[in-house]
Amino acid sequence: GEDVEQSLFLSVREGDSSVINCTYTDSSSTYLYWYKQEPGAGLQLLTYIFSNMDMKQDQRLTVLLNKKDKHLSLRIADTQTGDSAIYFCAESPPISGGYQKVTFGTGTKLQVIP
Amino acid sequence: DAGITQSPRHKVTETGTPVTLRCHQTENHRYMYWYRQDPGHGLRLIHYSYGVKDTDKGEVSDGYSVSRSKTEDFLLTLESATSSQTSVYFCAISEERGALGQFFGPGTRLTVL
């Protein structure tokens, strides 16, 4: 079945850039997402990218998609302590049937050191 | 933030008891989902709904049932709770099949002793 893999942990210093990586196996993935989860909270949708795009930028966030290698990355510029959280990569194939099947990675815990 | 609430936020129960978790949305979205989150497993879909009284199973539906009698409410029931159902449960909603992402509630932490 579909699989989404992420490294478990990333530590960066405040002010540096963070890059969180994700690989997926489903070649039919059409929609790719990044979510952020702070302690005790639900997942917050950060950004998404469609498979016909290579890059998407939204303020401090840059998403890069390498469809050939099935690799997705999230770059956070000027990382702040408030960015400390778990980041989930997720993918979804084209919509079929009654709902959209989303496969989530296991999350990367980002620690920002002041 | 999308208007999604879950109740209760925390619950401790005993093995064999029934438990119902509630998800309430104010966004009038058609699609609603129940996930569980466990260490090392990410999020796994339990059940989903694509309209009032329209529900279907996800990948880990055994031991769970759902109901949706109104657009705004989606209930998850554990008929007879087991310790393996100790988890954090999240409700999510999406517009028209969720191509633009799903929006999550704050979660319910359930402990089955």
Side-chain angles (χ1 to χ4, degrees):
Chain A
E2 302 84 5
D3 194 22
V4 178
E5 293 193 354
Q6 304 176 237
S7 54
L8 288 178
F9 189 76
L10 176 66
S11 180
V12 298
R13 293 206 173 274
E14 189 174 17
D16 289 349
S17 292
S18 308
V19 179
I20 303 171
N21 295 301
C22 166
T23 57
Y24 58 95
T25 58
D26 188 356
S27 56
S28 67
S29 294
T30 300
Y31 311 107
L32 297 120
Y33 308 95
W34 284 104
Y35 287 87
K36 176 184 180 182
Q37 185 180 32
E38 298 183 21
L43 276 70
Q44 173 194 354
L45 178 66
L46 281 179
T47 187
Y48 59 87
I49 189 168
F50 299 141
S51 60
N52 60 357
M53 301 165 65
D54 297 324
M55 184 182 87
K56 181 178 181 181
Q57 189 157 359
D58 184 1
Q59 299 182 334
R60 292 190 299 122
L61 305 179
T62 303
V63 178
L64 295 177
L65 174 60
N66 181 328
K67 198 174 178 184
K68 174 177 170 290
D69 294 337
K70 300 189 187 69
H71 182 266
L72 185 72
S73 67
L74 174 69
R75 178 177 180 269
I76 305 173
D78 187 25
T79 311
Q80 303 296 307
T81 55
D83 295 323
S84 293
I86 300 175
Y87 290 80
F88 290 89
C89 171
E91 64 86 18
S92 174
I95 294 161
S96 66
Y99 88 114
Q100 180 196 35
K101 176 174 165 51
V102 181
T103 302
F104 291 87
T106 51
T108 299
K109 185 172 183 178
L110 175 65
Q111 179 189 50
V112 182
I113 303 167
Chain B
D1 291 344
I4 311 169
T5 56
Q6 292 185 231
S7 58
R9 293 293 315 279
H10 302 271
K11 186 170 182 65
V12 179
T13 191
E14 294 189 348
T15 298
T17 60
V19 176
T20 295
L21 308 182
R22 179 179 183 244
C23 176
H24 179 79
Q25 61 147 327
T26 57
E27 304 296 320
N28 201 35
H29 285 355
R30 179 180 172 192
Y31 293 85
M32 299 186 76
Y33 309 82
W34 275 109
Y35 291 91
R36 59 179 289 174
Q37 183 179 36
D38 303 289
H41 288 279
L43 275 83
R44 293 181 290 175
L45 182 67
I46 305 171
H47 281 278
Y48 64 95
S49 170
Y50 47 98
V52 173
K53 298 185 179 177
D54 291 324
T55 66
D56 208 344
K57 296 177 180 180
E59 62 180 304
V60 290
S61 58
D62 287 349
Y64 302 95
S65 62
V66 290
S67 66
R68 190 167 178 200
S69 58
K70 298 186 288 186
T71 298
E72 57 266 35
D73 290 324
F74 193 29
L75 303 181
L76 176 70
T77 297
L78 290 66
E79 302 290 348
S80 177
T82 67
S83 58
S84 64
Q85 293 175 311
T86 292
S87 186
V88 180
Y89 291 86
F90 288 101
C91 174
I93 64 174
S94 69
E95 299 180 271
E96 289 309 310
R97 300 179 181 177
L100 300 184
Q102 298 179 1
F103 299 94
F104 285 78
T108 294
R109 182 173 293 277
L110 176 68
T111 302
V112 183
L113 302 175

